Amino acid sequence: MMQRYEIATLNTALGGAAKAAPGIEGFCREGAGRLLGCWATEIGPLNQVLILRGFDTAEDAAKERERTLRAANPFGAAEVLNGMTLDGYAPFPFLPPVEPGEYGPVYEIRTYVLKTGGVEPTIAAWEAAIPARVKYSPLTIAMYALDGAPRFTHIWPFKSLNDRAAVRAQTVTDGVWPPKGGPAWLTTDMRSTIGLPLPISPLR
């Protein structure tokens, strides 16, 4: 059971995603966690690689965070790196761990900044709504941040951008989504990125 996740955001030089992939795979193989997803951004901030890793324990996540920060060549990608951000997360407790597989190939990574005190009500609203929502399309993971502003990130795979639009419209029409009471805890600080899996990504 994975207790912690991390999203590493690598800002790369133009065309750097493909060049970075082999180094990312090797670096993650040597670490304490498990590489789950690796996407090149297609819509949203460009020239980024998003890396999702999972950890069995908080200790493993902390150990890997320190290894990454102290590495002379983090993710084996220093040659094409212009910057790096590491965000630590805990999963919404009712969700199963992320399982690699073919669900996409279009992945949406959404992050919402929450109002103060909003983490627990958000988890409760999602727990009530997710059983009906995932009948329309799967959820990769929803998780709340352990550092920085109160926020949560959710990752959704879709067959295409058209599929994404159709699913989102249908869930709203059917009254399944958004989770009842959930939007009341959101600020206006929200962002969405569309990523496409790199060949090394276990989530496809």
Side-chain angles (χ1 to χ4, degrees):
M1 183 69 177
M2 291 181 187
Q3 296 185 10
R4 295 290 184 269
Y5 293 95
E6 177 191 79
I7 293 180
T9 302
L10 308 185
N11 297 310
T12 70
L14 185 64
K19 294 178 183 177
I24 292 170
E25 187 175 33
F27 185 86
C28 292
R29 191 184 304 118
E30 296 168 359
R34 181 183 180 191
L35 175 63
L36 297 169
C38 187
W39 302 277
T41 56
E42 182 71 15
I43 299 175
L46 299 179
N47 299 311
Q48 288 187 344
V49 176
L50 305 180
I51 303 164
L52 176 67
R53 295 192 284 178
F55 304 90
D56 292 334
T57 67
E59 291 74 18
D60 283 348
K63 178 180 177 181
E64 185 62 13
R65 171 69 62 91
E66 184 169 359
R67 182 180 83 98
T68 303
L69 289 172
R70 296 180 65 171
N73 186 13
F75 294 102
E79 182 181 348
V80 296
L81 272 188
N82 292 327
M84 176 181 73
T85 303
L86 305 174
D87 293 297
Y89 292 92
F92 284 13
F94 62 90
L95 292 174
V98 174
E99 284 296 333
E102 295 194 13
Y103 308 101
V106 172
Y107 281 77
E108 182 174 23
I109 300 96
R110 297 176 73 90
T111 297
Y112 296 152
V113 175
L114 293 164
K115 297 176 182 177
T116 302
V119 171
E120 281 300 323
T122 297
I123 291 173
W126 276 59
E127 186 171 15
I130 280 296
R133 171 61 182 81
V134 295
K135 293 178 181 178
Y136 295 78
S137 70
L139 169 67
T140 299
I141 192 64
M143 50 196 180
Y144 60 94
L146 296 171
D147 37 39
R151 66 194 187 284
F152 73 105
T153 293
H154 37 124
I155 302 175
W156 301 85
F158 297 97
K159 300 302 180 187
S160 66
L161 288 175
N162 286 341
D163 176 49
R164 171 186 175 274
V167 167
R168 286 171 58 82
Q170 194 62 52
T171 57
V172 171
T173 298
D174 294 349
V176 170
W177 204 253
K180 290 179 174 57
W185 292 97
L186 303 180
T187 69
T188 56
D189 188 346
M190 50 187 70
R191 60 204 65 182
S192 177
T193 298
I194 298 294
L196 301 180
L198 290 172
I200 64 169
S201 180
L203 285 168
R204 307 287 299 156

